[in-house]
Amino acid sequence: MAITVPSHTEAGSPVGTYRAAVVHSFHEPLTVEQVPRPELTAGQIRVKVQACGLCHTDIHAAHGDWPIKPSPPFIPGHEGVGTVIELGPGVTEVQLGERVAMPWLGYACGTCDYCVSGWETLCLQQENMGYSIDGGFGDEAVAYARYVVRVPEGVHSIDAAPLTCAGVTTYKAVKVAGTRSSDLTVVFGVGGLGHLAIQYAAIAGARVIAVDLIDEKLELARELGAEFTVNASREDPVQAIQKLGGADQAIALAVSPKAFEQAYGSLRRGGKLVFVALPADNEVKLPIFETVLNGITIIGSIVGTRTELREVFELHRAGRTRVIREVRPLEQVNESIADVESGRVAARIVFEL
Ligand SMILES: [Zn+2]
Ligand SMILES: [Zn+2]
């Protein structure tokens, strides 16, 4: 039995619709418009969105850059945070008025080998917010109650939004990298993800190197705990990092295959390279001989689980991470995409709804 609270009826927002940023074509800008409110089905909740971050994945989704494409029209956004305003049939996992985050993993089967072994992020039945199901770029969003994560008191929604993808993704990357105290860890790309990766690697105890092409971003990296920085537009990061002894782990967050190759080259023997960024150009050239002789491990890492997102929120609540973000209205979605693409944004843009 659905428990329904009355829909809000502000001017310009008739009952039965809500405002959202919609992709109608991979070759056209998004349009902010009124879209129909879908009815909730079993297990779903309706969330009044307060904030949603803009991730590079949203841009790739809007442009149809990847082999598996979303089907327009659709609403991007997988860093949506807001309060639950309606419960669909059978929902017992969350309550009305609770504040939740709606991450990339919008739905998984819950019973396959991956789901039951703590690898729900690899579930083949998964649905993704802002990609195969409509996401958080709107005043409201529909999510599956089992796959949202409660946002604890003391974590602002504007901070919770970037933590919901950028945070959990880099937290997981540092985890799979196996970073420990005394390790030298290099983060390639200091953006929405990188600025958090630096902090998680430092929390794990590593000495952190940050690599980017922009001096202001490297300054930010130092503020957030990077001990060394390399501007790859002026200096070869491979040489610079090898001079320090080589990295135990490299985390590739820059959307350029060249950065992946440099990340590989910066490793010491036995090092690990974690692939996280997803450049539109899907090829990277790495040597087999050196990989074998040097005992290099290459790992792909995609987002993180609900448990890991809880841990990310907990670290933030405890004051151990800082989220660098810039708040904008949803109407600026297209300018914001252009700014992220040209690297004009310090870290993360968050739309306030
Ligand atoms: Zn993302
Ligand atoms: Zn599954």
Side-chain angles (χ1 to χ4, degrees):
M1 168 97 194
I3 304 162
T4 311
V5 293
S7 4
H8 50 110
T9 54
E10 309 92 88
S13 169
V15 178
T17 68
Y18 68 99
R19 184 185 59 138
V22 184
V23 176
H24 285 281
S25 147
F26 296 135
H27 312 291
E28 302 284 332
L30 282 76
T31 52
V32 177
E33 60 190 60
Q34 293 292 320
V35 298
R37 289 178 112 199
E39 203 141 316
L40 300 185
T41 60
Q44 290 184 329
I45 57 173
R46 196 180 318 277
V47 174
K48 176 142 182 49
V49 181
Q50 296 167 339
C52 188
L54 171 62
C55 179
H56 231 115
T57 295
D58 298 310
I59 301 175
H60 292 303
H63 293 169
D65 279 336
W66 290 338
I68 303 165
K69 297 179 200 308
S71 21
F74 70 95
I75 301 165
H78 55 275
E79 288 187 349
V81 172
T83 49
V84 179
I85 55 169
E86 187 184 341
L87 304 179
V91 170
T92 53
E93 296 84 356
V94 296
Q95 291 177 354
L96 289 174
E98 273 186 320
R99 202 158 52 108
V100 295
M102 298 174 285
W104 172 250
L105 188 75
Y107 172 85
C109 81
T111 54
C112 71
D113 290 347
Y114 301 114
C115 281
V116 299
S117 62
W119 282 98
E120 63 206 39
T121 50
L122 301 182
C123 176
L124 284 161
Q125 313 295 320
Q126 73 181 268
E127 299 283 348
N128 300 112
M129 286 299 288
Y131 212 87
S132 61
I133 47 181
D134 281 332
F137 285 8
D139 290 330
E140 294 180 358
V142 172
Y144 287 91
R146 284 190 182 167
Y147 288 90
V148 299
V149 173
R150 237 173 244 113
V151 181
E153 292 260 343
V155 176
H156 197 290
S157 295
I158 300 283
D159 287 339
L163 293 173
T164 298
C165 176
V168 77
T169 297
T170 50
Y171 179 75
K172 177 73 164 195
V174 169
K175 223 178 190 184
V176 300
T179 303
R180 299 176 307 166
S181 58
S182 87
D183 283 351
L184 189 61
T185 302
V186 55
V187 173
F188 274 77
V190 185
L193 276 80
H195 89 282
L196 287 157
I198 290 164
Q199 299 177 69
Y200 294 127
I203 289 170
R207 302 172 73 193
V208 183
I209 311 166
V211 181
D212 204 284
L213 302 168
I214 299 168
D215 282 331
E216 294 78 61
K217 293 196 177 188
L218 294 171
E219 234 164 79
L220 173 69
R222 276 191 295 272
E223 260 175 58
L224 296 172
E227 187 175 339
F228 310 97
T229 55
V230 181
N231 186 322
S233 71
R234 288 198 299 268
E235 198 182 350
D236 178 8
V238 173
Q239 271 185 14
I241 296 162
Q242 288 300 347
K243 230 186 277 171
L244 294 169
D248 295 284
Q249 300 101 23
I251 300 179
L253 304 174
V255 281
S256 131
K258 189 181 171 200
F260 280 64
E261 288 161 13
Q262 290 173 333
Y264 177 91
S266 71
L267 292 172
R268 65 184 302 192
R269 287 194 149 195
K272 287 184 186 168
L273 171 57
V274 185
F275 281 18
V276 179
L278 296 166
D281 179 359
N282 194 22
E283 305 286 331
V284 64
K285 204 170 170 214
L286 298 177
I288 296 166
F289 185 82
E290 285 79 358
T291 303
V292 174
L293 260 71
N294 295 336
I296 300 296
T297 306
I298 298 171
I299 312 166
S301 186
I302 175 90
V303 294
T305 62
R306 292 164 288 181
T307 301
E308 283 146 356
L309 184 50
R310 285 182 194 168
E311 291 167 4
V312 159
F313 285 152
E314 204 40 54
L315 283 171
H316 194 72
R317 196 195 56 74
R320 302 194 63 191
T321 50
R322 240 177 88 196
V323 177
I324 309 296
R325 76 288 198 274
E326 187 186 322
V327 178
R328 297 191 185 182
L330 186 62
E331 279 66 26
Q332 287 177 17
V333 63
N334 293 306
E335 298 92 296
S336 301
I337 287 175
D339 288 348
V340 170
E341 284 185 308
S342 64
R344 281 193 295 267
V345 183
R348 202 60 148 187
I349 289 173
V350 177
F351 299 118
E352 193 168 28
L353 282 314

